[in-house]
Amino acid sequence: MSIISKEKLINSLLCVRPGLANKELIEQSTSFVFKLNRVWTYNDMIAVSCPVDLQGIEGVVLAEQFYDLVTKINDREIDIVMEGEVLCVRGSKFFSKFTTKQGEVSLPLLNVDINSSLWTYLPKEFVHALKFCLFSVSNDLTRLALTCLHLEKAEIESCDNYRLTKFFLSGDNFVFPCGIALPLVSAKELIKYSPVAFLVEEGWIHFKLENSAVFSCRVYEVEYPSTDFILEMESGEPIVFPSNMVEILSRAGALAEVDLTGERVVSIEIQNGEIKVTSQGPVGQYEEKSRIRVSGHYKFECNLQFLQEILNHLRTAEVAKGGSKLKFTGDSFVHVMALQGVE
């Protein structure tokens, strides 16, 4: 019998939920696996394991029903015990049984040595850098590499053929040991955590979390294309965005259309010393203008939240000679976007 805090158990289950599959395409991928005082999940792309204080409890239980029950229990502590192939959960006024597959774990549990000396500690801004680069990842599956974030040297980059974002990580002598193609779906889950170190194995990158959990991501064996030529551009006209540009974008966001990635998009046009921000969605349209010291005519669409994030760091950008692209250069990042409709 193991007596465990309901809160601690729920926290462990929440930690590993990203590794669950929506449908059981892989056997047991919709289940929690209890083994070696840890709880495990695996859906082929993401695998997560987290410590759980359940001495002697080993088996596989369907995740949805088990999690649903545990979160509805009123007791602060519960008793969990294995009786043959049945997992029994007891509280002060209830008793429940779950059929398990004890000893029949078919999932490939990625049992990474949490105490290995091979772990490399991550710079403190790693999660921020991932978030910063998410918006430029492509959804074009015909170019698999561009659907990933590229981790190499001390950089994280993303590119969708229209936008390029690079973030330069700090840290003494920190480098990723090789080029790593981290799928977008995995990165979106990873940024919800606070990884402190990483370890690379064939086909996988593992992240150690603060609670000694391990978040593992399958990586693609693809070569990321060189993006250096995108950064190279002949200097053109500088653009200083209005001081209230973030507020303008916020107002435009109220009616902005959501794109295929779930992000809001706005249109920006600059001409005759004026910048116009336009948004349109199912319920209406918004337009706001402001003065700007620019002589050329430029037009582009952009991710609203991402542009707000950049403008919180700097207001100045540079247009390439000929007006083909717009480049932001900060202390730790560079972002380039293609312009359209230029006259």
Side-chain angles (χ1 to χ4, degrees):
M1 178 183 297
S2 292
I3 299 176
I4 187 170
S5 159
K6 182 192 75 170
E7 181 181 1
K8 288 184 177 180
L9 177 58
I10 290 175
N11 287 340
S12 293
L13 299 180
L14 280 172
C15 180
V16 300
R17 278 172 70 87
L20 292 170
N22 293 326
K23 295 181 180 180
E24 194 171 62
L25 300 177
I26 301 172
E27 188 178 2
Q28 300 181 357
S29 61
T30 59
S31 299
F32 293 127
V33 177
F34 294 99
K35 193 176 181 69
L36 302 175
N37 296 324
R38 298 179 77 87
V39 57
W40 314 71
T41 55
Y42 177 97
N43 66 12
D44 193 46
M45 291 298 296
I46 296 173
V48 193
S49 73
C50 183
V52 60
D53 190 16
L54 289 175
Q55 297 287 337
I57 303 298
E58 294 197 358
V60 183
V61 61
L62 284 174
E64 182 179 354
Q65 293 84 347
F66 185 76
Y67 181 80
D68 190 39
L69 172 68
V70 172
T71 55
K72 293 177 179 177
I73 292 171
N74 293 324
D75 300 66
R76 291 187 176 181
E77 293 185 331
I78 52 178
D79 297 343
I80 299 181
V81 64
M82 291 297 304
E83 295 182 358
E85 293 189 355
V86 176
L87 186 147
C88 302
V89 183
R90 292 185 176 89
S92 58
K93 296 181 179 179
F94 78 91
F95 174 71
S96 65
K97 293 182 178 181
F98 289 86
T99 301
T100 70
K101 294 183 178 180
Q102 189 178 19
E104 296 182 12
V105 179
S106 60
L107 287 178
L109 303 183
L110 303 182
N111 193 11
V112 185
D113 184 1
I114 198 73
N115 297 313
S116 170
S117 61
L118 299 178
W119 289 97
T120 299
Y121 282 94
L122 290 161
K124 61 182 180 180
E125 74 272 26
F126 173 72
V127 170
H128 172 69
L130 280 183
K131 289 180 181 178
F132 198 81
C133 293
L134 287 182
F135 304 103
S136 302
V137 179
S138 174
N139 58 10
D140 181 2
L141 295 178
T142 65
R143 301 199 66 184
L144 191 61
L146 296 185
T147 66
C148 301
L149 291 102
H150 184 218
L151 285 56
E152 188 170 30
K153 299 178 182 178
E155 302 173 1
I156 299 176
E157 69 174 328
S158 58
C159 181
D160 63 0
N161 274 332
Y162 302 100
R163 300 166 296 183
L164 165 68
T165 306
K166 276 197 176 192
F167 196 103
F168 308 101
L169 297 167
S170 63
D172 295 337
N173 301 318
F174 173 82
V175 293
F176 292 105
C178 57
I180 298 165
L182 178 65
L184 176 62
V185 63
S186 302
K188 283 184 173 180
E189 294 296 337
L190 182 61
I191 62 174
K192 301 173 184 178
Y193 296 82
S194 299
V196 296
F198 77 96
L199 175 64
V200 176
E201 292 184 332
E202 184 177 359
W204 291 87
I205 181 170
H206 310 286
F207 295 94
K208 180 163 60 174
L209 310 183
E210 292 178 335
N211 61 352
S212 294
V214 176
F215 191 108
S216 302
C217 307
R218 188 181 292 279
V219 296
Y220 290 148
E221 300 295 328
V222 293
E223 183 176 353
Y224 204 86
S226 174
T227 57
D228 292 342
F229 73 97
I230 300 175
L231 298 177
E232 297 171 357
M233 68 181 220
E234 192 173 352
S235 298
E237 185 174 19
I239 292 180
V240 179
F241 287 88
S243 59
N244 64 338
M245 188 65 181
V246 172
E247 289 78 12
I248 294 174
L249 292 170
S250 181
R251 290 188 286 270
L255 293 173
E257 184 177 12
V258 175
D259 65 12
L260 294 175
T261 66
E263 303 296 338
R264 291 174 294 168
V265 175
V266 295
S267 298
I268 295 176
E269 186 170 13
I270 301 172
Q271 65 175 330
N272 301 325
E274 189 174 69
I275 183 169
K276 180 175 68 175
V277 179
T278 306
S279 64
Q280 186 168 346
V283 299
Q285 181 177 338
Y286 182 87
E287 180 181 298
E288 184 169 350
K289 298 177 180 179
S290 183
R291 300 302 300 172
I292 189 171
R293 292 184 178 180
V294 178
S295 59
H297 181 195
Y298 312 110
K299 188 177 182 181
F300 58 96
E301 288 188 344
C302 66
N303 179 291
L304 182 145
Q305 184 179 349
F306 184 66
L307 184 56
Q308 285 177 309
E309 174 72 17
I310 289 180
L311 293 173
N312 283 325
H313 295 278
L314 74 162
R315 289 170 46 208
T316 303
E318 189 172 25
V319 179
K321 187 175 182 180
S324 62
K325 50 190 174 183
L326 182 69
K327 183 177 182 180
F328 292 89
T329 305
D331 293 335
S332 58
F333 72 89
V334 60
H335 177 74
V336 180
M337 68 173 70
L339 302 182
Q340 62 182 2
V342 178
E343 297 177 357

